[in-house]
Amino acid sequence: MKYSLLVASLGIASFLVANTASADAAKGEASFKKNCMVCHSNKPGEKKIGPNLSSLAGRDAGTEPGFKYSDGFTGVKWDAANLQKFIENPKGMFPKTKMTFPGMKDATERTDLLEFLGVK
Ligand code: HEC
């Protein structure tokens, strides 16, 4: 009896650990729809008022062909660390950016969002 209780609680504990440790692309998709999709598409070729985000991973900032970026929107490679910083506080990285998004303060939400966008 005691033993099976221990096994059951270990099972629950490892389930919780697995769930908090890994990024959740489904939550990331929900967050993208809520926070980003008014201005961005993640489908190749679809244009909105912000640059297309379909192949963001590893791309240099400010390089979508035909998109008119704000002054100084350059010099950064879009890896996970830089995207974390930018999405947390866009104006902190590019003071003159025309991305009028106040920033996403929740690190877990940012990580889920990047998982959804395919950025490791
Ligand atoms: C109100 C519209 C708007 C919202 C909301 C918005 N963005 Fe943007 N985003 C823009 C615009 C406009 C730019 C171009 C910035 C510039 O030129 O200064 C941009 C640029 C970017 C870039 C740089 C892409 C490149 O080509 O270098 C990334 C990455 C990005 N946004 C991600 C996001 C994410 C993730 C969200 C949601 C959390 C989001 N944005 C929300 C309008 C928006």
Side-chain angles (χ1 to χ4, degrees), residues 31 34-36 40 82-94 97-111 113:
S31 174
K34 186 170 129 217
N35 295 295
C36 321
H40 292 285
N82 284 331
L83 282 166
Q84 283 276 358
K85 254 198 264 174
F86 177 64
I87 296 165
E88 181 178 11
N89 178 13
K91 283 205 162 25
M93 185 177 265
F94 297 112
T97 185
K98 53 185 180 180
M99 172 157 143
T100 52
F101 176 74
M104 182 181 285
K105 302 305 168 205
D106 185 331
T108 307
E109 188 174 0
R110 295 197 304 270
T111 302
L113 184 61

Side-chain angles (χ1 to χ4, degrees), residues 31-32 34-40 49-53 56 59-64 67-71 73 76 78 83 86-87 90 94 96-104 113-114 117:
S31 174
F32 183 80
K34 186 170 129 217
N35 295 295
C36 321
M37 220 162 93
V38 272
C39 302
H40 292 285
I49 72 158
N52 188 287
L53 300 183
L56 190 60
R59 180 150 90 62
D60 290 320
T63 55
E64 161 143 331
F67 188 87
K68 250 188 127 0
Y69 291 90
S70 56
D71 282 351
F73 203 91
V76 166
W78 288 137
L83 282 166
F86 177 64
I87 296 165
F94 297 112
K96 288 192 235 159
T97 185
K98 53 185 180 180
M99 172 157 143
T100 52
F101 176 74
M104 182 181 285
L113 184 61
L114 292 181
L117 290 172

